[in-house]
Amino acid sequence: MTVRIENEQDYKQMLASAELAVVHFWADFAAECKNITEVLNELSKEVKNTKMYEIEAEKLSEISMKHEIVAVPTVILFKGGKAVDRVDGMNAAEITKKVKLHSSQASNGLPTSPPQKKEDLDTRLKRLINAHKCMLFMKGKPDEPKCGFSKQTIGILNGMNAEYGTFDILTDDEVRQGLKKFSNWPTYPQLYISGELIGGLDIIKEMVESGDLQTMIPTKVDLETRLKELINAAPIMIFMKGEPKGPKCGFSRQLMEIMEETKLEFKHFDILSDEDVRQGLKKFSNWPTYPQVYVKGELVGGLDIIKELMEGNELVPTLKGEA
């Protein structure tokens, strides 16, 4: 049976395990994930020295980002604290094949190693480059740069109040060497905007001096302004997965059923259509899950809060702004 990883500590314990670890990144809106869970449960009965885990991708978003999870289901195989293989998407046959292969190698004491296909690396690099609208590949982390060029670049971006993601190339030599060839740029840091290479520190400095970078780079202020406009777009504003007539998660579906009973008009925003809004609103509202309901620009809460208000006969007055 699969074991659920609930927090960072559980994740670290999984990495420290001597067994082959098969980790399923899932989300409730993707029906295919249930099929993958069933496949892993069956495999757990067949293979030795292997343990099955699952991670709710949105709940543990930092871990998901670390492993470039951009779609679910995704299954990653870990051995000795490192990812050794992965399958993106609903491909039960490929998952079964890889789990049995790596499990057999682990049982025989053979080393497990990631596939060396160039196409796989290119796909991974594209996924990383597009993980954020503005993406910086650097040495170290923003709060602890490990080279002078990376430190200067972080200083420039922070000075512009830029909204950006980073990848520490010192933690993954495959990415470090592969991105040089992929981008035809031999040094680090490397800055990308909307999936396109801008360049290194010298280019960044030149573009700052000319004013060109300021017109291209996304800023935190811009996102906050956009979020404020969105939550005030209607007296009742709902951020959900999917559309009112086609919700893409069980929680959003339940909320739509409740809203239909109230007969109140509302506007909605599909957070699956915009990753910046999806991630930014969590921080902005200090509310980690969806759906989210706003009344006159103020957060009411998620599905649980809406249910509590309904049970107390306070829902309609609250949604009308009368409570």
Side-chain angles (χ1 to χ4, degrees), residues 74-109:
T74 292
V75 173
I76 301 182
L77 284 67
F78 293 87
K79 181 66 177 177
K82 296 182 179 179
V84 296
D85 216 334
R86 72 186 286 153
V87 178
D88 294 284
M90 177 58 191
N91 193 333
E94 189 69 9
I95 292 170
T96 300
K97 176 183 174 181
K98 291 190 174 185
V99 170
K100 288 184 175 180
L101 172 64
H102 287 282
S103 177
S104 174
Q105 290 176 335
S107 298
N108 294 328

Side-chain angles (χ1 to χ4, degrees), residues 31-79:
E32 299 91 339
C33 292
K34 292 182 180 179
N35 296 330
I36 297 302
T37 297
E38 292 176 0
V39 169
L40 296 183
N41 285 338
E42 287 302 313
L43 278 171
S44 67
K45 302 173 185 177
E46 301 179 28
V47 295
K48 298 179 180 179
N49 302 315
T50 302
K51 197 163 186 178
M52 310 297 177
Y53 297 87
E54 61 182 19
I55 292 178
E56 189 172 358
E58 290 187 338
K59 179 180 178 181
L60 299 182
S61 57
E62 290 186 5
I63 295 174
S64 297
M65 184 61 68
K66 180 178 181 180
H67 295 292
E68 306 103 50
I69 305 299
V70 296
V72 292
T74 292
V75 173
I76 301 182
L77 284 67
F78 293 87
K79 181 66 177 177

Side-chain angles (χ1 to χ4, degrees), residues 121-140:
L121 178 58
D122 283 353
T123 298
R124 186 180 178 209
L125 293 175
K126 290 176 183 177
R127 185 166 55 242
L128 277 170
I129 288 168
N130 288 281
H132 293 269
K133 183 175 182 180
C134 179
M135 191 70 187
L136 178 69
F137 293 82
M138 61 179 289
K139 295 180 179 178

Side-chain angles (χ1 to χ4, degrees), residues 200-299:
L201 179 60
D202 289 344
I203 300 296
I204 291 170
K205 285 182 174 179
E206 291 176 5
M207 293 184 69
V208 169
E209 291 177 2
S210 68
D212 292 335
L213 190 61
Q214 290 87 327
T215 65
M216 299 171 61
I217 206 156
T219 64
K220 295 176 182 177
V221 172
D222 286 344
L223 179 58
E224 289 183 5
T225 300
R226 186 180 176 208
L227 293 176
K228 288 178 181 177
E229 290 175 350
L230 281 172
I231 65 176
N232 286 282
I236 302 175
M237 190 69 192
I238 296 177
F239 294 81
M240 61 181 289
K241 294 177 181 178
E243 304 289 329
K245 293 184 179 180
K248 292 187 177 179
C249 81
F251 298 139
S252 293
R253 183 176 296 107
Q254 290 182 59
L255 178 59
M256 291 301 99
E257 291 172 355
I258 292 172
M259 291 303 299
E260 187 174 355
E261 291 181 13
T262 68
K263 307 298 183 183
L264 296 176
E265 293 185 0
F266 64 91
K267 287 188 176 180
H268 79 285
F269 186 93
D270 179 5
I271 53 96
L272 297 179
S273 69
D274 193 311
E275 190 66 17
D276 287 341
V277 171
R278 181 179 187 173
Q279 300 302 332
L281 192 60
K282 293 179 183 179
K283 298 177 182 178
F284 181 86
S285 64
N286 195 28
W287 195 271
T289 59
Y290 291 100
Q292 294 183 16
V293 179
Y294 290 78
V295 173
K296 297 180 180 179
E298 297 294 328
L299 175 66

